Amino acid sequence: MEDEKSEKPMIKFIGFFYLCAMRVAFTGHRNYSETTNNKLREVIQGLIAEGYTAYLCGMAEGFDIAAAEVVLALKELSPQLELHCVIPFKGHISKMPSTEWAERYARILSQADSIITLAEQYDATVYHQRNDYLVQSADCLICYYSGRVRSGTGYTVRRAMKKGIRVANLYADSYQIQFFG
């Protein structure tokens, strides 16, 4: 694994104690409706109040990128927040479906606290590796999950639930946030 920016650890030394940042990861479908951004912002603000300060983004178009943009906007009000971008492989930006998505992607990377690149090049396992990394590193998962089983989002949600971490699904039609785990 390579970190393209200076590494900023998620464990900080405070006097005689080590303080481990509580971490949130994001996963969601590419066809995310950005009308849910207010709900996303509300959930993140609630988690900030609970002490969650480190946010992990897998950098897929759709929900992942929208979530990273919300974290960066909230960081202006809460500078203790950290955004860690988890890139599945070098050159991942080339997989963005349009120039608009690539520009958003690049803007997020330029403002991230760290960039973690998991593989040198694409192979058939890189997206599962990225999703596993997100779940292994997180204490909570915020998702935009329709229930479609055969999807990267479905895989990640199932892994998180198996691990026993909190999962907040923003997909539901109601404004009610569903926490599982």
Side-chain angles (χ1 to χ4, degrees):
M1 283 182 260
E2 176 182 314
D3 189 356
E4 297 170 358
K5 284 189 170 194
S6 60
E7 188 167 335
K8 196 170 189 180
M10 287 184 260
I11 299 177
K12 298 178 182 173
F13 182 69
I14 309 289
F16 294 106
F17 302 97
Y18 284 93
L19 178 64
C20 183
M22 293 175 63
R23 300 164 307 249
V24 177
F26 300 109
T27 189
H29 299 303
R30 289 176 171 85
N31 63 346
Y32 170 69
S33 168
E34 293 196 24
T35 59
T36 308
N37 277 358
N38 288 337
K39 193 187 311 186
L40 175 60
R41 177 183 292 268
E42 183 179 302
V43 170
I44 292 171
Q45 287 173 320
L47 291 171
I48 292 168
E50 292 180 28
Y52 289 87
T53 57
Y55 293 82
L56 304 161
C57 179
M59 297 302 292
E61 74 269 13
F63 182 75
D64 290 18
I65 286 179
E69 290 170 337
V70 169
V71 170
L72 290 172
L74 288 171
K75 192 171 179 170
E76 292 179 19
L77 304 171
S78 302
Q80 77 276 18
L81 299 184
E82 298 175 358
L83 178 65
H84 304 278
C85 297
V86 182
I87 308 299
F89 60 95
K90 279 187 176 180
H92 179 246
I93 193 170
S94 68
K95 297 294 186 184
M96 292 295 106
S98 69
T99 302
E100 176 195 349
W101 282 109
E103 288 171 354
R104 290 170 74 179
Y105 186 106
R107 192 170 34 255
I108 291 165
L109 292 184
S110 72
Q111 297 175 57
D113 292 281
S114 70
I115 300 167
I116 302 152
T117 302
L118 299 178
E120 287 294 315
Q121 61 189 20
Y122 174 82
D123 69 43
T125 67
V126 294
Y127 293 113
H128 278 136
Q129 288 175 20
R130 186 254 334 260
N131 296 341
D132 289 340
Y133 182 93
L134 292 171
V135 170
Q136 290 303 319
S137 302
D139 301 300
C140 180
L141 180 73
I142 299 176
C143 66
Y144 185 78
Y145 177 51
S146 67
R148 192 174 76 223
V149 175
R150 293 186 51 86
S151 67
T153 299
Y155 171 86
T156 307
V157 169
R158 286 189 306 278
R159 300 278 297 184
M161 292 176 81
K162 184 175 180 180
K163 182 182 173 195
I165 67 173
R166 291 170 69 187
V167 177
N169 187 3
L170 306 184
Y171 187 83
D173 290 335
S174 71
Y175 199 72
Q176 196 71 7
I177 307 304
Q178 303 171 7
F179 272 104
F180 305 99

